[in-house]
Amino acid sequence: SPMMPSPSYHKYDVKDYYNIDPQFGTLDDFDQLIAECDKRGIDVIIDFVPNHCSNEHPWFKKALAQAEKGNFDGYAKYFNIIKNNGDYPLGYNLDPNDNNILYESNFSDTMPEWNYDYQGTKDEIAKAAKFWLDRGIAGFRLDAVRYLYYEDAERSSEVLKWFDDTCKEVKEDVYMVGEDWSTDMSEIAKMYSAGIDSLF
């Protein structure tokens, strides 16, 4: 499971991509783990959640607050937040404070989706990945790669390729394993076209 701060037991709803959940320890503990593993020739891969975050993430809280005031050009751009016109797109949920606002959250209303059509989102996800690579990890187990764009393997694969290429600029031999629970082998093949090392 992810080890970053999160309100849940499973930690897939990350609210801070730059820290360790207190249940698991501290960044100093993590640095010691990496150092001890390095001494023993052990590579460390961490679980990373590029698809969604927690509804307690500060940016999502700001995004909803701004959207409720009619501003969709601030933090709302990091997420898929829209006005409620009476239609409910698949995977969208109501803003609990304003029924005029919907946001994409395919897994749970507590896990809003990042918007990869916005360059700012890519910049921040890349920054978070670099933070951990610079701390000495060998790679990432990437959560829910087929949902980077919901039910769109081709666009999801494009984002996955961008992420893999971006991380290789930091660490040339970074290892990536993506989670894709599809039973459609042609979709799995499309995800492999991103160039990552493995999928399961």
Side-chain angles (χ1 to χ4, degrees):
S1 295
M3 62 191 177
M4 293 137 194
S6 158
S8 71
Y9 74 92
H10 53 71
K11 307 301 176 199
Y12 284 98
D13 47 346
V14 176
K15 64 180 184 179
D16 180 357
Y17 281 83
Y18 300 92
N19 215 330
I20 305 287
D21 193 286
Q23 292 183 40
F24 302 137
T26 66
L27 283 172
D28 287 341
D29 294 329
F30 182 79
D31 291 341
Q32 182 180 355
L33 169 69
I34 295 294
E36 294 298 329
C37 286
D38 283 348
K39 288 178 187 176
R40 293 159 175 82
I42 298 170
D43 288 336
V44 175
I45 293 173
I46 66 168
D47 207 331
F48 191 78
V49 189
N51 180 63
H52 49 259
C53 66
S54 170
N55 63 343
E56 294 185 16
H57 191 291
W59 290 9
F60 183 68
K61 288 182 174 181
K62 289 178 181 177
L64 282 190
Q66 291 176 352
E68 288 160 9
K69 294 177 181 176
N71 178 7
F72 290 82
D73 291 323
Y75 280 93
K77 292 169 83 172
Y78 287 97
F79 304 94
N80 295 307
I81 299 177
I82 60 175
K83 291 181 181 178
N84 181 6
N85 61 9
D87 294 328
Y88 280 73
L90 185 65
Y92 278 73
N93 282 283
L94 283 170
D95 176 347
N97 301 314
D98 186 341
N99 288 341
N100 294 313
I101 305 295
L102 294 166
Y103 62 93
E104 187 182 12
S105 49
N106 294 301
F107 291 94
S108 163
D109 60 356
T110 63
M111 296 193 289
E113 308 283 323
W114 291 109
N115 173 22
Y116 281 99
D117 285 337
Y118 178 48
Q119 184 60 44
T121 300
K122 289 183 175 179
D123 293 344
E124 290 305 319
I125 294 296
K127 182 180 172 185
K130 185 178 186 304
F131 175 83
W132 295 105
L133 289 168
D134 286 346
R135 290 193 103 88
I137 67 161
F140 296 106
R141 179 270 186 197
L142 298 171
D143 183 57
V145 293
R146 70 181 291 208
Y147 293 108
L148 294 167
Y149 281 96
Y150 188 69
E151 296 295 335
D152 190 332
E154 188 168 333
R155 294 182 78 194
S156 293
S157 179
E158 289 170 3
V159 174
L160 196 54
K161 179 175 178 9
W162 160 80
F163 184 79
D164 187 56
D165 290 346
T166 299
C167 289
K168 282 176 178 167
E169 291 175 8
V170 180
K171 180 178 173 54
E172 188 176 357
D173 63 345
V174 63
Y175 188 87
M176 301 280 187
V177 53
E179 175 206 28
D180 186 342
W181 288 102
S182 175
T183 56
D184 182 347
M185 291 302 104
S186 66
E187 180 183 288
I188 298 289
K190 285 179 185 175
M191 298 307 291
Y192 264 119
S193 71
I196 70 169
D197 301 284
S198 60
L199 289 155
F200 74 92

